[in-house]
């Protein structure tokens, strides 16, 4: 009887822990998707403004109006400062997502370990235990893939942020003159490169939104599997202690 009571407590404890983790993941997924949509909308708008200023810069280059070019450059640099700050925030967000996906992988490992132990001492329905183990291994594989995606997104975001900061540093103290046209063109190319990195940010956000939606669907399936597992006859009998 003591052994049965201990087993019931373990099952109930795991159920509560699993429910808490599932609820946490659902909240995280929803939050990431909402934030991602807002970020995408903001970034598209900011890139449009940046490109409009770049077009004005190109026109001023054609007339070689250095005063006008440098005024436009000052406005563009102000936008670059904002973008570099936002890139730093995106890198922090990407790092948090790695931590979250790592927690999900650890949760999968605990569930696989519990199912293995459950199967070894099960007396009622080993077929259910095998199906549970197979599902948990699929969930673990999916979550490990999600973690690899998050690591890749983080590394690419860091690379973009570093490149943007490098361009900003170069242009911040630079004044355009047309005494050296090659140098002026090279510096203008840096503005184009920065615009390119902003476009890359947008594409990355679109990709991350697709990944977040896929993860949300996977987590819904995991929660459904967990509910089905808790409602299996094998589990119910073990809870009653017979």
């Amino acid at each position: 009887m003591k052994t049965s009571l201990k087993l019931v407590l373990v099952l109930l404890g795991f159920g509560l822990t699993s429910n808490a983790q599932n609820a946490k993941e659902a909240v995280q997924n929803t939050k990431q998707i909402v934030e991602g949509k807002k970020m995408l909308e903001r970034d598209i708008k900011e890139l449009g403004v940046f490109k409009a200023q770049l077009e004005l810069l190109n026109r001023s280059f054609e007339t070689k109006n250095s005063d006008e070019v440098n005024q436009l450059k000052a406005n563009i640099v102000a936008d670059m400062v904002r973008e570099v700050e936002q890139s730093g925030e995106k890198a922090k967000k990407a790092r948090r997502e790695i931590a979250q996906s790592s927690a999900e992988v650890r949760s999968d490992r605990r569930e696989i370990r519990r199912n293995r132990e459950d199967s070894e001492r099960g007396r009622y329905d080993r077929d259910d235990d095998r199906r549970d183990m197979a599902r948990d291994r699929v969930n673990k594989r999916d979550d490990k893939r999600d973690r690899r995606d998050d690591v890749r997104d983080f590394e690419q975001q860091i690379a973009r942020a570093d490149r943007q900061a490098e361009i900003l540093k170069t242009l911040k103290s630079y004044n355009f003159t047309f005494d050296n046209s090659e140098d002026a063109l090279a510096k203008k190319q840096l503005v184009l490169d920065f615009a390119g990195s902003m476009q890359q940010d947008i594409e990355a956000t679109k990709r991350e939104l697709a990944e977040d939606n896929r993860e949300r669907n996977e987590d819904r399936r995991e929660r459904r599997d967990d509910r089905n597992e808790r409602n299996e006859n094998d589990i119910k009998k073990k809870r009653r202690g017979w």
Side-chain angles (χ1 to χ4, degrees):
M1 184 61 71
K2 288 182 179 178
T3 301
S4 297
L5 179 60
K6 184 183 293 185
L7 179 57
V8 170
L9 292 174
V10 169
L11 289 169
L12 288 174
F14 179 81
L16 291 172
T17 301
S18 179
N19 285 340
Q21 179 64 26
N22 286 339
K24 183 179 180 181
E25 290 174 9
V27 170
Q28 289 171 347
N29 287 338
T30 300
K31 182 180 179 182
Q32 286 172 196
I33 290 170
V34 170
E35 289 179 348
K37 288 180 178 179
K38 289 181 179 178
M39 186 185 302
L40 181 60
E41 184 179 352
R42 180 200 68 194
D43 288 352
I44 290 174
K45 182 178 179 180
E46 290 175 349
L47 178 58
V49 173
F50 194 90
K51 284 183 174 179
Q53 293 193 93
L54 180 55
E55 180 61 27
L56 292 175
L57 185 72
N58 285 330
R59 292 177 186 175
S60 297
F61 249 78
E62 291 175 2
T63 60
K64 295 186 177 181
N65 186 332
S66 58
D67 290 338
E68 193 173 279
V69 167
N70 283 305
Q71 181 57 55
L72 288 166
K73 187 222 68 165
N75 296 339
I76 288 172
V77 163
D79 286 349
M80 287 181 174
V81 170
R82 180 200 63 223
E83 290 298 322
V84 168
E85 290 175 353
Q86 290 176 358
S87 290
E89 291 302 315
K90 289 176 184 176
K92 291 178 183 178
K93 177 178 177 290
R95 187 187 292 275
R96 285 196 299 270
E97 290 185 9
I98 292 175
Q100 290 166 6
S101 56
S102 296
E104 291 181 20
V105 171
R106 289 194 296 271
S107 178
D108 292 332
R109 287 172 179 161
R110 287 193 297 270
E111 191 159 350
I112 288 173
R113 184 168 60 249
R114 184 199 70 84
N115 280 337
R116 185 180 295 113
E117 294 169 353
D118 183 35
S119 178
E120 289 172 355
R121 62 172 174 256
R123 295 180 293 156
Y124 307 101
D125 195 341
R126 293 185 182 275
D127 288 337
D128 277 344
D129 291 337
R130 282 193 288 269
R131 284 193 293 270
D132 294 341
M133 179 67 77
R135 284 196 301 263
D136 291 340
R137 284 174 174 161
V138 169
N139 293 339
K140 179 184 175 184
R141 183 195 64 206
D142 290 342
D143 287 339
K144 288 181 74 174
R145 180 206 58 217
D146 294 339
R147 186 183 185 281
R148 287 195 298 271
D149 289 343
D150 289 340
V151 170
R152 179 207 62 208
D153 294 341
F154 172 71
E155 290 174 346
Q156 291 178 352
Q157 182 60 54
I158 288 293
R160 284 194 300 274
D162 287 346
R163 178 56 178 158
Q164 287 179 344
E166 181 183 347
I167 293 173
L168 172 60
K169 183 179 179 181
T170 300
L171 291 179
K172 206 169 187 179
S173 58
Y174 181 78
N175 282 317
F176 282 95
T177 66
F178 294 95
D179 297 333
N180 186 339
S181 297
E182 289 186 6
D183 186 52
L185 286 171
K187 295 301 188 294
K188 190 183 75 166
Q189 180 60 43
L190 292 180
V191 181
L192 289 168
D193 292 346
F194 199 98
S197 74
M198 292 172 69
Q199 182 63 51
Q200 290 168 4
D201 257 344
I202 289 171
E203 297 306 317
T205 300
K206 289 179 180 177
R207 184 175 62 248
E208 288 165 19
L209 273 172
E211 292 168 1
D212 289 341
N213 278 296
R214 183 194 67 211
E215 289 174 28
R216 181 168 64 176
N217 292 333
E218 290 170 354
D219 288 342
R220 283 174 178 166
R221 186 197 68 222
E222 289 180 29
R223 290 194 294 274
R224 184 180 64 246
D225 291 344
D226 288 343
R227 284 195 302 271
N228 292 339
E229 186 176 344
R230 288 194 297 273
N231 291 328
E232 289 171 0
N233 289 332
D234 189 33
I235 296 297
K236 291 178 179 178
K237 290 177 182 179
K238 288 175 182 177
R239 286 175 179 169
R240 289 197 297 269
W242 323 160

